[in-house]
C-alpha cells in the first residue's frame, strides 16, 4: 500500500533535533570542496561534503548549489553529499543553443560513472526533480532512492497556471537585457518536460514526491505524479510554497531523512 508521509514540525524537531542554521561556508563557491569534471563536452562543477552513502543534490532552474545551503550541512552529517551545478548554471559550462532536461540528466548519470559511484540517492528540487525523474527512467541502476520537490512532468496548464506560462512566454518574447542563457532556460520550461504518466509507471526505485500546498506546481499534478509511480510516497507541506526546502528547511530535511533512512 502506498504510504503518505506527512509530519508535524514540532514533533520532528523534537525527535530529530534538526537545525536549519547554516555555517560560514559559501556553498557553490567553496574552493576547498569544489571540483570540475569533463562531462559530455562541458566542465561540470560540483562540491562534496561529508562521507558515507552518496546523496546527489540537483537544484532548480537558474539556480546553483547555493539553493541547498540549508540542506548540505544537515545531510553531510549522514551522507556523502555531492551538490552539482547543472549545465549552463552556477559554475558549470554549456551552450544556450542546446539545453534539455534529458541532457542534464545524462550529465549527472555520467558524473556518477566518473566518480565510480554505482548508485546514489537523489534529491531534486523543481527542475532538479525533473532531472531526477529522468535519471530514474534512463539510468535506473544509478538511482537508489529519489526524493523530488515541486517537479512537473509536462509544461502545460495541467501542471502550472496559464498565467505562469504566459509570463514565461512574455519574457522570452521581450527579454530586455536578460542573458541568452536566461532566455534559453526559460524556453526550456515552456517546451519541456514531456514525460508520460505511463513512463512514470516504469520507475522502480523508491520515490518520495513532495510539494508545498501553495506550490507553483498544481496540487492535482503533483498527486498524479505520486499516483503514477509504483509504491511512491507523498508529502504535501502545509503553508508552503515552491521553495519549501528554503522556507521550512527543518521540516523538509527531516522528512527527506526519514524517507532515505527507511
Amino acid at each position: 500500500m502506498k504510504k503518505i508521509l506527512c509530519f508535524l514540525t514540532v514533533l520532528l524537531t523534537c525527535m530529530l533535533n534538526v537545525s536549519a542554521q547554516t555555517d560560514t561556508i559559501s556553498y557553490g563557491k567553496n574552493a576547498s570542496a569544489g571540483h570540475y569534471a569533463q562531462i559530455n563536452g562541458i566542465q561540470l562543477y560540483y562540491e562534496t561534503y561529508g562521507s558515507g552513502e552518496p546523496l546527489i543534490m540537483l537544484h532548480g532552474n537558474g539556480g546553483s548549489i547555493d539553493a541547498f545551503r540549508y540542506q548540505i550541512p544537515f545531510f553531510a552529517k549522514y551522507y556523502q553529499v555531492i551538490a552539482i551545478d547543472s549545465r549552463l548554471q552556477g559554475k558549470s559550462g554549456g551552450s544556450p543553443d542546446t539545453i534539455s532536461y534529458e541532457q542534464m540528466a545524462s550529465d549527472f548519470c555520467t558524473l556518477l560513472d566518473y566518480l565510480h559511484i554505482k548508485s546514489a540517492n537523489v534529491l531534486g528540487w523543481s527542475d532538479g526533480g525533473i532531472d531526477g525523474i529522468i535519471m530514474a527512467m534512463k539510468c535506473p541502476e544509478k538511482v537508489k532512492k529519489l526524493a523530488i520537490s515541486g517537479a512537473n512532468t509536462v509544461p502545460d496548464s495541467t501542471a502550472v497556471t496559464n498565467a505562469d506560462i504566459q509570463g514565461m512566454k512574455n519574457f522570452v518574447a521581450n527579454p530586455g537585457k536578460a542573458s541568452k542563457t536566461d532566455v534559453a532556460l526559460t524556453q526550456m520550461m515552456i517546451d519541456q518536460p514531456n514525460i508520460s504518466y505511463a513512463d512514470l509507471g516504469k520507475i522502480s526505485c523508491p520515490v518520495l514526491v513532495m510539494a508545498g500546498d501553495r506550490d507553483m506546481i498544481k496540487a492535482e499534478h503533483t498527486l498524479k505524479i505520486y499516483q503514477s509511480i509504483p509504491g511512491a510516497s507523498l508529502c504535501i507541506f502545509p503553508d508552503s510554497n515552491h521553495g519549501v526546502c528554503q522556507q521550512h528547511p527543518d521540516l523538509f530535511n527531516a522528512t527527506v531523512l526519514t524517507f532515505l533512512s527507511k
Side-chain angles (χ1 to χ4, degrees):
M1 177 181 291
K2 296 180 178 180
K3 295 180 180 179
I4 297 179
L5 295 179
C6 207
F7 305 91
L8 294 175
T9 305
V10 175
L11 176 61
L12 281 173
T13 301
C14 292
M15 291 176 61
L16 299 173
N17 192 27
V18 179
S19 174
Q21 297 301 314
T22 58
D23 46 33
T24 57
I25 295 174
S26 181
Y27 296 104
K29 298 179 181 179
N30 183 8
S32 65
H35 312 272
Y36 283 98
Q38 185 69 23
I39 301 293
N40 294 339
I42 68 166
Q43 287 287 317
L44 195 70
Y45 180 76
Y46 64 99
E47 294 181 357
T48 58
Y49 300 89
S51 62
E53 194 173 280
L55 169 63
I56 71 170
M57 295 187 179
L58 310 176
H59 63 77
N61 192 287
S64 71
I65 291 168
D66 179 64
F68 289 114
R69 59 191 174 275
Y70 296 118
Q71 282 67 54
I72 294 172
F74 175 84
F75 284 100
K77 294 181 290 186
Y78 307 96
Y79 298 92
Q80 179 194 27
V81 173
I82 304 169
I84 311 170
D85 276 343
S86 301
R87 73 161 54 212
L88 208 60
Q89 298 158 80
K91 298 174 72 173
S92 290
S95 169
D97 296 325
T98 56
I99 185 71
S100 70
Y101 293 115
E102 286 77 11
Q103 193 177 41
M104 290 190 285
S106 175
D107 292 340
F108 306 139
C109 291
T110 304
L111 179 65
L112 290 178
D113 284 336
Y114 173 87
L115 296 174
H116 304 291
I117 295 173
K118 291 184 178 180
S119 73
N121 299 299
V122 178
L123 171 60
W125 171 26
S126 194
D127 276 22
I130 298 170
D131 298 329
I133 288 172
I134 296 173
M135 288 179 69
M137 293 167 54
K138 300 293 186 180
C139 54
E141 73 284 356
K142 294 190 177 352
V143 183
K144 182 177 181 181
K145 290 184 178 181
L146 172 63
I148 60 174
S149 180
N152 59 298
T153 56
V154 291
D156 60 35
S157 59
T158 64
V160 296
T161 66
N162 282 316
D164 285 335
I165 294 171
Q166 192 58 52
M168 290 188 288
K169 289 181 176 179
N170 291 342
F171 170 74
V172 168
N174 300 284
K177 295 182 179 180
S179 69
K180 190 175 180 181
T181 292
D182 289 340
V183 173
L185 290 172
T186 303
Q187 186 66 55
M188 180 176 68
M189 291 191 291
I190 295 171
D191 299 331
Q192 305 172 42
N194 293 286
I195 303 167
S196 71
Y197 294 122
D199 283 340
L200 290 179
K202 300 174 185 177
I203 294 176
S204 57
C205 68
V207 179
L208 170 60
V209 180
M210 300 175 286
D213 60 351
R214 294 169 174 78
D215 207 293
M216 66 180 293
I217 305 301
K218 291 183 176 180
E220 54 265 37
H221 182 67
T222 297
L223 182 62
K224 185 64 177 178
I225 292 173
Y226 154 70
Q227 292 172 332
S228 300
I229 299 175
S233 297
L234 174 70
C235 183
I236 303 297
F237 294 99
D239 302 314
S240 301
N241 57 34
H242 188 60
V244 62
C245 62
Q246 296 176 347
Q247 185 185 16
H248 300 301
D250 287 350
L251 179 58
F252 181 89
N253 293 349
T255 301
V256 174
L257 180 63
T258 298
F259 167 72
L260 294 179
S261 301
K262 286 197 303 182

